[in-house]
Amino acid sequence: MATDDVAQLADSLAKTGVEDGELSYKGQGRKLDDAQSVEEMVKEIQDFEGLQALRLEGNTVGVEAAQAIAKALETKSALMRCYWSDMFTGRLRSEIPPSLNSLGDALMLAGARLTVLDLSDNAFGPDGVKGIENLLKSSTCYTLQELRLNNCGMGIGGGKILAASLIYNHKKSSAVGSPLSLKVFVAGRNRLENDGATALAQAFKLMGSMEEVHMPQNGINHAGVTALAEAMQHNPGLRILNLNDNTFTEKGAMAMAQALKHLRSIQVINFGDCLVRPEGAKAIAVSVSEGLPILKELNLSYGEITEDAALVVAQAVKDKDQLEKLDLNGTKNAVGMLFYDEDEGEPEDDDDEEDEDDDEEEDDDEDDVDEEEVEEEEEEEEEEESTGNKVRHFSTPQSTPRPPEVSSFLSFPSPDKLLKLGPTRALLIEQQVDVSDATKTAEAFLKIASVYKEDNTEVRNAVLDSIDGLLRKAFTSSSFQGYSFVSSLLVLLGLIKSEDKVKPVIVVPGHLQALEHVVRQDYFPKESVAVLEAFMSRNNKTLESCGNAKNNLQSTLQRVRSQS
């Protein structure tokens, strides 16, 4: 081969991206209007031996160009995967059906056996579905495993045509001994509504082979959701079910909860923004607790779920060993959120640097305290000397600032500082913490608990008295969000993740020993015990150094819950 030919071939391969039988023009932004504009592409397709996958996404293809490409595909019997999403940007909708017809006819003529067909992001509407109707009904799609039609604007009409095509395909393929066994179906943002979803549900029920179903943002209400729920019961291999941003209401949620009882292989459930409401969430929780042994993700966020329903859900997942994410964002009557994500890993270890900074800041703080004490003594002496002339200088303004001893303790806790606060320490701390803020209250609790010493009675009692005073005031306040406190506490302990990127504390046994005391008190809400138990029972690296304290806390949580 001549040097120029080698260079030309290398350049061509670099442009197209050839890998394992795949020819890719992905994302090249080509404007392909006519046969002349695709001459090079057509030649490359024709010359590609054993073509198995063709990527055309991210280009814009006109009718004549599609016909020329189709001609080159008429001999490609080995073609299995067509990645043709985002392929008609800027084209008239009337151009798309004939283009799809040409490409589909070529695949059928070649005798190809497709496993993947991706036409997402083409916005071709119901007419576009008609453009692939014959292809979907043909033997070329008897082997289809993945059908991706996300964001195509199919509407109800397109959904019905699609469903009828799949049902026809299943009937014909079954007749020759190889029934259509579609595994992945993606059709988000298609305005399918109830009628379109119900039609597709019939196809899913008939095939019984679904492993992934993604149908978010389709305007589906409880009638369509119920139809899909019934269909899912006949797909025992289902692993992922994503119906985000449709409208379940209690009726749809109840139906879906019933379906989940039959889906032991499911790993990901996304019912976020689906208006499942409290009773729907509780019904789903029952199904989760009774089955779904390999569940990894559960999303019930922004579904108008109340605090008590969220607690039931949290309790339901406590024994799910493979759970990676629980999303209850947007729970009503709770400022906080529960969001557990195991994939995020452990926080970075900046402890040494922080400890050095803390030591320096503590020294500075103590110096400041000494100076303030001297100033107070001088001012008090001045007051005494001037009383004869009716002149008084007050050592503290009328809006009392935080006492320096309390400030020092809450900034850099130590057992000695806590004891030095004296017998009124609980009241002093209680006055200086804003208990209307659940996060600040949780932070204060952990700071006090960090100096807990089981073998020092004086320190232990000082810690527990201070904590009782703080939390009793918080939980008896009508405005205090108990659910938010527990959520913030779990975030700070590193047991769940927060969207606010809050860095967890370094957990010490005292945190858990103090918490064990708290959960036994009458001021602590018993419904929050279930949440704590759910997360404390999981294996988590942040608690590894607290072995006995963790075990004791778990036992106490179980005992308190059983007594409630």
Side-chain angles (χ1 to χ4, degrees):
M1 184 180 290
T3 303
D4 289 346
D5 292 338
V6 172
Q8 185 176 1
L9 177 60
D11 182 60
S12 176
L13 291 174
K15 286 181 181 177
T16 57
V18 179
E19 180 181 355
D20 296 331
E22 179 180 291
L23 186 58
S24 176
Y25 300 92
K26 180 180 179 180
Q28 295 185 6
R30 299 191 188 190
K31 193 172 187 297
L32 308 172
D33 295 325
D34 50 32
Q36 184 177 358
S37 66
V38 292
E39 281 183 355
E40 180 184 355
M41 183 183 293
V42 166
K43 187 175 188 309
E44 288 167 350
I45 293 172
Q46 290 173 336
D47 293 345
F48 198 111
E49 296 288 339
L51 180 65
Q52 296 180 21
L54 179 61
R55 290 189 173 275
L56 296 176
E57 63 263 57
N59 299 283
T60 176
V61 181
V63 176
E64 290 185 23
Q67 291 171 343
I69 294 170
K71 188 68 177 175
L73 292 175
E74 289 180 355
T75 59
K76 301 301 174 182
S77 59
L79 187 61
M80 296 186 293
R81 304 185 299 279
C82 297
Y83 301 103
W84 295 348
S85 63
D86 190 20
M87 202 172 72
F88 300 109
T89 300
R91 300 292 170 183
L92 296 174
R93 181 168 290 188
S94 59
E95 293 183 76
I96 300 175
S99 296
L100 292 173
N101 271 317
S102 296
L103 293 167
D105 289 346
L107 296 174
M108 290 186 282
L109 183 61
R113 292 292 183 269
L114 295 186
T115 58
V116 177
L117 178 60
D118 186 355
L119 288 166
S120 297
D121 300 317
N122 279 313
F124 46 49
D127 291 340
V129 184
K130 292 179 182 177
I132 58 172
E133 183 178 6
N134 291 336
L135 173 63
L136 291 174
K137 290 180 175 180
S138 74
S139 59
T140 294
C141 287
Y142 285 0
T143 50
L144 195 62
Q145 295 181 9
E146 297 184 20
L147 179 58
R148 300 177 182 271
L149 297 167
N150 200 58
N151 191 31
C152 287
M154 290 187 290
I156 296 173
K160 288 182 175 181
I161 295 169
L162 177 61
S165 299
L166 293 174
I167 291 171
Y168 181 91
N169 182 313
H170 186 269
K171 179 181 178 180
K172 291 294 185 182
S173 57
S174 297
V176 296
S178 57
L180 172 65
S181 298
L182 192 66
K183 294 180 179 178
V184 178
F185 180 79
V186 182
R189 300 181 64 187
N190 270 290
R191 305 193 306 276
L192 294 170
E193 300 183 17
N194 288 337
D195 289 348
T198 300
L200 286 165
Q202 294 174 356
F204 298 151
K205 181 178 180 180
L206 186 63
M207 291 184 290
S209 55
M210 303 307 304
E211 295 181 7
E212 296 184 25
V213 175
H214 303 262
M215 297 174 66
Q217 292 183 295
N218 270 295
I220 306 170
N221 296 327
H222 69 83
V225 171
T226 300
L228 288 170
E230 183 184 351
M232 292 307 110
Q233 295 184 39
H234 298 270
N235 288 266
L238 190 69
R239 294 182 298 105
I240 300 175
L241 181 56
N242 176 8
L243 295 175
N244 187 283
D245 200 6
N246 291 290
T247 308
F248 283 36
T249 68
E250 289 90 340
K251 290 182 180 179
M254 294 289 187
M256 198 57 74
Q258 184 62 34
L260 291 176
K261 294 179 179 180
H262 301 266
L263 302 176
R264 293 185 59 80
S265 297
I266 202 157
Q267 298 177 19
V268 177
I269 300 171
N270 187 344
F271 297 160
D273 204 13
C274 283
L275 204 67
V276 297
R277 292 182 174 153
E279 293 309 311
K282 291 177 181 178
I284 291 170
V286 170
S287 297
V288 169
S289 63
E290 292 178 351
L292 315 191
I294 57 175
L295 184 67
K296 292 183 177 181
E297 296 184 19
L298 175 60
N299 183 351
L300 296 177
S301 61
Y302 301 101
E304 291 195 0
I305 300 174
T306 54
E307 182 175 337
D308 66 316
L311 294 171
V312 172
V313 175
Q315 175 70 14
V317 301
K318 72 168 189 172
D319 295 324
K320 303 303 172 187
D321 295 335
Q322 298 188 37
L323 188 72
E324 297 173 358
K325 182 180 292 185
L326 170 64
D327 193 345
L328 297 175
N329 260 313
T331 296
K332 294 176 68 177
N333 303 326
V335 178
M337 42 82 82
L338 276 178
F339 184 81
Y340 178 78
D341 191 344
E342 214 167 48
D343 293 334
E344 296 294 331
E346 298 300 314
E348 295 180 5
D349 188 4
D350 296 325
D351 302 338
D352 294 338
E353 293 180 10
E354 288 187 358
D355 288 343
E356 292 175 5
D357 293 343
D358 289 353
D359 291 340
E360 292 176 7
E361 291 177 23
E362 184 171 353
D363 292 338
D364 293 342
D365 190 85
E366 290 177 348
D367 289 341
D368 292 340
V369 171
D370 293 338
E371 291 174 6
E372 289 172 5
E373 290 174 349
V374 170
E375 289 173 359
E376 283 184 11
E377 291 172 0
E378 291 175 351
E379 289 174 347
E380 288 169 0
E381 289 174 3
E382 184 177 355
E383 179 184 339
E384 291 174 359
E385 292 171 358
S386 305
T387 51
N389 297 325
K390 308 288 186 180
V391 177
R392 293 182 180 271
H393 297 279
F394 295 97
S395 60
T396 56
Q398 290 181 340
S399 56
T400 307
R402 176 181 297 181
E405 296 87 351
V406 178
S407 174
S408 178
F409 171 72
L410 291 176
S411 297
F412 307 103
S414 74
D416 288 342
K417 289 181 182 179
L418 181 63
L419 294 177
K420 285 180 179 179
L421 291 178
T424 61
R425 64 180 67 87
L427 179 62
L428 289 172
I429 294 173
E430 178 186 327
Q431 290 174 340
Q432 300 306 322
V433 176
D434 180 8
V435 295
S436 66
D437 187 317
T439 299
K440 289 181 180 178
T441 305
E443 289 172 347
F445 163 75
L446 291 175
K447 287 178 178 179
I448 301 168
S450 68
V451 304
Y452 181 95
K453 289 185 179 295
E454 183 67 30
D455 57 354
N456 187 318
T457 304
E458 186 179 13
V459 172
R460 183 177 71 245
N461 291 340
V463 167
L464 298 182
D465 287 346
S466 300
I467 285 173
D468 283 340
L470 175 70
L471 296 187
R472 188 179 298 279
K473 180 180 178 181
F475 281 105
T476 54
S477 170
S478 59
S479 62
F480 188 69
Q481 298 288 348
Y483 179 82
S484 286
F485 171 81
V486 174
S487 182
S488 297
L489 189 62
L490 291 171
V491 168
L492 291 166
L493 290 173
L495 299 179
I496 61 176
K497 297 291 179 179
S498 168
E499 291 180 336
D500 298 328
K501 305 292 184 183
V502 175
K503 186 172 182 178
V505 301
I506 299 171
V507 182
V508 296
H511 289 138
L512 306 188
Q513 290 166 325
L515 189 56
E516 183 188 357
H517 166 82
V518 167
V519 299
R520 297 198 304 263
Q521 306 310 305
D522 58 359
Y523 59 73
F524 191 78
K526 294 300 178 279
E527 61 268 21
S528 294
V529 171
V531 179
L532 288 174
E533 184 187 2
F535 285 95
M536 289 295 171
S537 63
R538 302 183 57 80
N539 292 324
N540 193 293
K541 292 181 181 179
T542 62
L543 304 182
E544 285 181 352
S545 62
C546 306
N548 290 335
K550 178 190 174 185
N551 294 336
N552 292 339
L553 175 57
Q554 283 182 263
S555 298
T556 299
L557 288 167
Q558 291 172 0
R559 185 167 62 254
V560 171
R561 185 171 62 85
S562 65
Q563 293 172 352
S564 60

